[in-house]
Amino acid sequence: MTSTTLPICIAGHWRAGRGERYATCYPATGEPVAWLNAANLEDLEEAIQCAHQAFLHSGWAQRKPHERAAVLYRIAEGIRAQAEELAQLQRQDNGKPILETRALVASAAATFQFFAAACETLEETITPSRGDFMTMSVYEPMGVVAAITPWNSPIASEAQKVAPALAAGNAVVLKPAEITPLLALELARICDAAGLPKGLISVVPGKGSILGDALTSHPLIKRVSFTGGTRTGKHIAHIAADKMMPVSLELGGKSPTIVLDDADLDHAVAGVLYGIFSSSGEACIAGSRLFVARALYQPFMQRLVAAASQLRVGDPADERTQMGPLISAAHRESVERYVALGLAEGGRLLLGGQRLEGAAYGQGYYYPPTILEGLGNQQRVCREEIFGPVLVAMPFDDEATLLAEANDSLYALAAGIWSRDYKRAWALGRRLQAGTVWINTYKQFSISTPFGGWRDSGLGREKGRLGILQYMEQKSLYWGMNPQPLAWAGINMEAAS
Ligand code: NAD
């Protein structure tokens, strides 16, 4: 790594930001990965004004859908051409294991490909006529869209916003998390190389507390697509309400995973482990509340704890690693506070609970898979998002109580069910309140399937073929077909001629 300042992409130019200089650090070592200057408020204003001009004058919005799609296909290819380099960079930027960052990069490419296809196949409709006119429902781009992303899955989160926004004909100002800006910048380079007109994408790294309100409240920003914490999301929702601006908010979660008494235990153990401990639990959809049928509870927990104790925590560059470090020292301290709180509330540790230090872990922010039991759904560790590798296990006696407890959360992002009985799983799945319910699987994603949360987990949906419409305004067109003037005016054409 060099101490050279990394340029950022503002208004079609690659140059240093005018905000404070800072380093992004590798969570496995605490060492700087790159130095850059954040964007300041002037940079942000320049990016928004230029995006507006590019929206008005670059011709992007007027290009035929298949022409815009061609650029998006090239962006997908650009990502694939650099896949390994991007995956390694993302590993350094946020410390995820290399196998995971490779998957995120592949998913970003697939997202551009998918929205290219959605763009060129989007149909506008002729609606049934109810008079002497033909009626159509069409879609228009909005203008400049703000895309705001968190640190936990950079290039995939960014692609999920930028791809549909560009496909729809908009310009984008992308604000990545301050601590993980590198993949957003690379994505902008790939967009440039693919022939996206200049100014249609700017990247403004920096603190949300400095740039956030100026970005979301700016009159030229016509839509905000946000992924991050619930508190920030609600703040943005207030700003959006004042502007009457559409927003989508992908927020936090506290998702239940449910093991029924007829579950296939091998599948359930593997799925519960993956659901909470992959990404070191730094996932909005982490299955952090585990409900197990009481009849199975002891044998299931024994198997789960034994399997969790075998998970390989360590160097994210090692292809065998399953869990890397947490994102920062401060975040690890927050996870530790929650575990201490759980213990103070009467919880018992079945596994983990002590930070990992020593030669094998260097200066990295490692924390092991941690399992607590002896707690109830009302306790804070079951109500608040920990965003780390901490699972709280609870037995349940009957499905009615289970359902009430699983649904008793401010969050409602995801849920999982493990059962061999598909009718039972169907009935339970339909009554769980969550944006996504996985049955006999967990944390699987498809760009072709909508994603989003209920309640404090968010508003609006991303992904899915119609995800592109989130970035467009609907418009109705009426074409008069009557050879006569409108009757109300009383004009007699024969008398008039
Ligand atoms: P965060 O809310 O602190 O930050 C997210 C982004 O918002 C960052 O880019 C940040 O700089 C920016 N921001 C901060 N204040 C802002 C403001 N006032 N206006 C506009 N932008 C502002 O969240 P985080 O700590 O980066 O990410 C973790 C959170 O993200 C967790 O709660 C997690 O559940 C959530 N998340 C949700 C999803 C989902 O799809 N539902 C996916 C990933 C992460």
Side-chain angles (χ1 to χ4, degrees):
M1 114 90 210
T2 72
S3 58
T4 318
T5 302
L6 207 65
I8 63 174
C9 176
I10 300 285
H13 302 288
W14 287 88
R15 60 164 177 78
R18 287 173 282 194
E20 70 171 346
R21 183 172 154 83
Y22 72 102
T24 73
C25 295
Y26 185 28
T29 61
E31 300 287 317
V33 179
W35 286 90
L36 67 162
N37 283 44
N40 70 1
L41 290 173
E42 287 166 11
D43 293 327
L44 178 66
E45 182 64 27
E46 195 181 327
I48 296 172
Q49 293 292 349
C50 174
H52 178 59
Q53 292 305 317
F55 174 71
L56 291 180
H57 305 301
S58 71
W60 179 249
Q62 290 72 37
R63 282 196 204 178
K64 300 281 179 277
H66 68 278
E67 295 168 341
R68 287 203 298 269
V71 176
L72 267 76
Y73 285 122
R74 286 202 294 275
I75 296 173
E77 284 317 306
I79 295 172
R80 289 190 178 115
Q82 279 177 245
E84 184 58 19
E85 198 183 314
L86 292 169
Q88 295 293 355
L89 190 63
Q90 173 133 340
R91 167 182 65 77
Q92 293 178 299
D93 211 16
N94 81 341
K96 281 195 168 189
I98 185 65
L99 286 186
E100 217 175 300
T101 61
R102 282 183 188 140
L104 290 171
V105 169
S107 127
T111 298
F112 275 93
Q113 178 180 323
F114 181 84
F115 280 110
C119 172
E120 65 179 350
T121 58
L122 180 68
E123 289 182 357
E124 296 174 320
T125 45
I126 295 178
T127 57
S129 176
R130 306 276 295 186
D132 293 325
F133 43 75
M134 185 181 81
T135 43
M136 295 178 73
S137 175
V138 301
Y139 299 96
E140 308 289 4
M142 293 172 152
V144 186
V145 167
I148 305 176
T149 54
W151 46 260
N152 63 322
S153 300
I155 195 167
S157 306
E158 277 125 30
Q160 263 172 48
K161 299 176 184 321
V162 173
L166 291 178
N170 301 294
V172 181
V173 175
L174 171 58
K175 202 212 100 36
E178 184 200 22
I179 52 178
T180 55
L182 301 184
L183 274 289
L185 292 167
E186 288 305 311
L187 184 58
R189 277 204 189 280
I190 291 168
C191 290
D192 263 5
L196 186 74
K198 290 266 178 216
L200 279 174
I201 184 164
S202 283
V203 180
V204 289
K207 288 191 166 64
S209 55
I210 295 178
L211 300 172
D213 286 7
L215 175 60
T216 54
S217 63
H218 198 290
L220 289 176
I221 295 292
K222 302 300 184 200
R223 186 189 200 287
V224 171
S225 175
F226 171 80
T227 299
T230 297
R231 185 186 302 192
T232 319
K234 286 185 177 177
H235 176 76
I236 292 172
H238 280 110
I239 291 174
D242 280 344
K243 285 172 69 180
M244 290 297 284
M245 168 180 72
V247 279
S248 55
L249 304 169
E250 302 284 351
L251 310 178
K254 194 75 204 175
S255 301
T257 37
I258 297 164
V259 182
L260 297 181
D261 54 14
D262 60 1
D264 178 320
L265 293 195
D266 288 338
H267 284 239
V269 167
V272 170
L273 285 182
Y274 182 65
I276 179 65
F277 297 127
S278 59
S279 312
S280 300
E282 294 173 327
C284 52
I285 33 105
S288 50
R289 289 184 294 147
L290 172 64
F291 294 92
V292 184
R294 194 176 293 277
L296 277 188
Y297 187 77
Q298 287 305 340
F300 182 80
M301 291 309 296
Q302 268 170 15
R303 287 174 72 160
L304 187 76
V305 170
S309 67
Q310 299 300 310
L311 291 174
R312 294 179 295 277
V313 185
D315 180 3
D318 185 334
E319 300 201 344
R320 290 164 309 164
T321 294
Q322 290 160 296
M323 287 172 59
L326 298 181
I327 187 75
S328 64
H331 186 54
R332 180 167 66 174
E333 283 160 21
S334 157
V335 171
E336 286 173 329
R337 278 195 296 276
Y338 271 112
V339 173
L341 178 70
L343 294 175
E345 286 180 324
R348 291 183 298 278
L349 262 180
L350 295 182
L351 186 70
Q354 290 289 329
R355 63 167 69 178
L356 298 172
E357 288 176 315
Y361 303 106
Q363 299 302 307
Y365 316 122
Y366 290 97
Y367 198 81
T370 294
I371 303 179
L372 286 165
E373 68 169 6
L375 292 159
N377 192 50
Q378 293 305 318
Q379 274 149 326
R380 273 183 62 197
V381 285
C382 288
R383 308 207 69 78
E384 296 174 21
E385 187 182 44
I386 300 176
F387 219 60
V390 181
L391 177 70
V392 181
M394 293 167 279
F396 68 87
D397 291 305
D398 61 87
E399 276 186 38
T401 320
L402 160 76
L403 190 66
E405 295 213 323
N407 284 340
D408 181 14
S409 173
L410 282 176
Y411 296 111
L413 189 60
I417 300 171
W418 299 90
S419 170
R420 285 194 175 91
D421 181 339
Y422 71 93
K423 291 181 184 169
R424 207 174 156 201
W426 163 263
L428 187 57
R430 294 304 301 255
R431 295 180 68 197
L432 280 169
Q433 296 164 356
T436 298
V437 177
W438 284 288
I439 298 166
N440 292 328
T441 186
Y442 200 86
K443 212 177 169 187
Q444 302 300 308
F445 275 124
S446 159
I447 185 64
S448 57
T449 307
F451 177 75
W454 302 7
R455 303 200 287 263
D456 273 21
S457 290
L459 271 183
R461 293 291 178 267
E462 288 193 331
K463 304 184 175 180
R465 207 161 71 84
L466 300 182
I468 188 172
L469 297 185
Q470 297 262 338
Y471 295 87
M472 305 186 96
E473 289 284 10
Q474 186 277 341
K475 180 189 282 175
S476 296
L477 294 175
Y478 284 66
W479 296 78
M481 295 293 168
N482 192 336
Q484 299 298 323
L486 289 175
W488 181 86
I491 297 168
N492 180 329
M493 279 180 37
E494 277 172 25
S497 59

